[in-house]
Amino acid sequence: MKPLKFNPLLKSTIWGGDKIIPFKHLNVEQENVGESWEISGVKGNETTVSEGEFEGKSLNEVVEQMKDQLLGKENYKRFGNEFPLLIKFIDARQDLSIQVHPTDEIAKMQGKERGKTEMWYLMDSEKDASLLCGLKKKITPEEYAAMVENDTIVDAIAKYDVKEGDCFFLPAGRIHAIGTGCFLAEIQQTSDVTYRIYDFKRKDKDGNYRELHTKQAAECINYNVEDNYRTNYLPTKNMGVSLVKCPYFCTAVYDLDEPMTIDYSELDSFVILIGLKGEATITDNEGNVTSLKAGESILVPATTKELKVEGTVKFLETYV
């Protein structure tokens, strides 16, 4: 089975910018594109295959047809016909709202299918780009509610100046917000459950304040305080460098300027490659050849045992 590419879903937002369309080399006109949903099985927002034998089919239709050949045996037992990851590029021309996501357990108690754990990898962002991630001081649920009410909740959240290559892991329950100037790749559980805590008193195009979910969010927040929420790793050429390992995904970054063969013979999972910079030719063990360019995301089926990557390219690799 050949690796799959998809038609992205471009989402215009009140905070969206102008980086995504040129980054992906798309010939479309759309303003304020804040998100490109690269690979998505979210109901109502499913990406479709852009080429090859499955062209025009939604991701979920391909999963239903190929089952464990696409997902892997254990993944198919665990997730059935639902694809477990959602891949996005995000371009923030303005601050996003301060948010939190529930764990699977809390989401089910609140009548949702599942929670959301995610991660961010910063791409070529603005020089003054920053983001908020995790509590920097101990607060109680009562203090949280008061700080939202009196517009001081930002004072309790750790702020980070960020640059290309920075990585942040966001387990469900960690309060966070993408800041102005951030351009990043996001990997997350297949879930669109987001609780908006605070939105800087912004109004939408109709002059209304956006809905807040203060009560639901209060049930989800992890109030633990950590010293550092940025992922520490040593960037290294021509090898996979691990960034995140959690029950929902394992992610590594590759920065290659010489050919490399990646062995997946012991892996019982699909693999997603997310192009960050450069371009490469990828050949699998069945002889299928595909390209990977900056701005592209490729879904490699679980039946693939080996990939040979040739070119000067930087990409994220993620699997379950």
Side-chain angles (χ1 to χ4, degrees):
M1 184 180 172
K2 191 175 180 179
L4 302 174
K5 292 184 179 181
F6 294 84
N7 299 304
L9 295 174
L10 303 181
K11 307 275 189 176
S12 292
T13 63
I14 63 170
W15 45 261
D18 56 10
K19 292 186 175 75
I20 286 175
I21 288 175
F23 175 64
K24 292 183 61 60
H25 304 287
L26 299 176
N27 186 25
V28 298
E29 289 189 16
Q30 187 172 332
E31 294 185 347
N32 303 330
V33 176
E35 299 184 346
S36 173
W37 289 32
E38 294 286 293
I39 298 178
S40 169
V42 175
K43 288 172 185 171
N45 285 280
E46 298 170 35
T47 49
T48 56
V49 179
S50 62
E51 59 188 34
E53 63 174 311
F54 298 103
E55 184 176 352
K57 289 195 171 187
S58 72
L59 173 56
N60 289 351
E61 286 175 322
V62 180
V63 172
E64 194 169 352
Q65 181 176 338
M66 301 309 295
K67 299 180 169 56
D68 59 358
Q69 292 180 66
L70 180 64
L71 293 190
K73 289 184 174 61
E74 289 305 313
N75 284 339
Y76 192 69
K77 285 180 188 174
R78 182 177 169 192
F79 300 106
N81 290 328
E82 288 192 292
F83 192 77
L85 294 183
L86 171 57
I87 309 299
K88 297 179 183 177
F89 292 125
I90 295 178
D91 173 22
R93 187 171 46 89
Q94 300 175 18
D95 293 334
L96 274 69
S97 58
I98 297 172
Q99 305 172 354
V100 73
H101 309 299
T103 62
D104 288 346
E105 294 73 24
I106 292 173
K108 283 170 183 164
M109 285 168 47
Q110 294 178 337
K112 312 288 185 182
E113 281 189 59
R114 66 184 61 82
K116 190 199 288 190
T117 285
E118 59 189 5
M119 67 166 283
W120 296 329
Y121 184 90
L122 274 294
M123 300 188 295
D124 190 11
S125 300
E126 301 295 327
K127 287 181 180 176
D128 57 352
S130 65
L131 56 79
L132 302 175
C133 183
L135 292 172
K136 67 180 179 182
K137 63 180 183 180
K138 200 79 176 169
I139 60 172
T140 65
E142 293 73 26
E143 288 170 326
Y144 150 78
M147 293 179 87
V148 170
E149 188 66 30
N150 63 28
D151 303 329
T152 60
I153 189 63
V154 175
D155 299 339
I157 308 170
K159 183 177 181 179
Y160 291 87
D161 295 325
V162 294
K163 63 185 185 307
E164 183 180 355
D166 282 353
C167 178
F168 291 82
F169 177 51
L170 302 159
R174 182 167 292 171
I175 195 168
H176 60 271
I178 297 172
T180 300
C182 288
F183 185 36
L184 58 83
E186 181 177 87
I187 298 166
Q188 59 166 90
Q189 286 177 267
T190 291
S191 169
D192 208 22
V193 181
T194 293
Y195 293 136
R196 196 178 291 126
I197 292 171
Y198 184 70
D199 198 35
F200 307 98
K201 291 291 196 285
R202 282 185 296 200
K203 294 182 179 179
D204 64 18
K205 63 183 188 321
D206 299 318
N208 301 313
Y209 291 117
R210 293 202 294 170
E211 183 186 4
L212 300 180
H213 313 98
T214 313
K215 180 179 179 296
Q216 298 100 312
E219 298 172 357
C220 302
I221 294 171
N222 182 334
Y223 289 94
N224 292 335
V225 177
E226 297 182 15
D227 293 334
N228 179 37
Y229 296 99
R230 197 187 329 239
T231 299
N232 292 318
Y233 72 99
L234 181 64
T236 309
K237 282 276 192 183
N238 300 310
M239 65 177 289
V241 179
S242 178
L243 300 175
V244 172
K245 286 186 176 180
C246 74
Y248 304 105
F249 49 81
C250 297
T251 303
V253 62
Y254 289 76
D255 190 359
L256 307 183
D257 58 11
E258 58 186 44
M260 182 178 185
T261 298
I262 308 175
D263 183 3
Y264 294 125
S265 59
E266 299 298 316
L267 183 67
D268 180 30
S269 176
F270 65 89
V271 177
I272 294 172
L273 306 181
I274 305 165
L276 304 172
K277 278 190 165 183
E279 183 176 354
T281 299
I282 296 175
T283 308
D284 68 16
N285 55 287
E286 297 174 6
N288 296 307
V289 179
T290 188
S291 61
L292 175 64
K293 302 175 185 176
E296 287 187 325
S297 303
I298 296 174
L299 174 55
V300 180
T303 51
T304 300
K305 302 304 178 190
E306 186 179 276
L307 288 181
K308 185 175 184 182
V309 184
E310 298 173 281
T312 301
V313 66
K314 186 176 184 182
F315 61 90
L316 296 176
E317 167 204 72
T318 193
Y319 56 84
V320 176

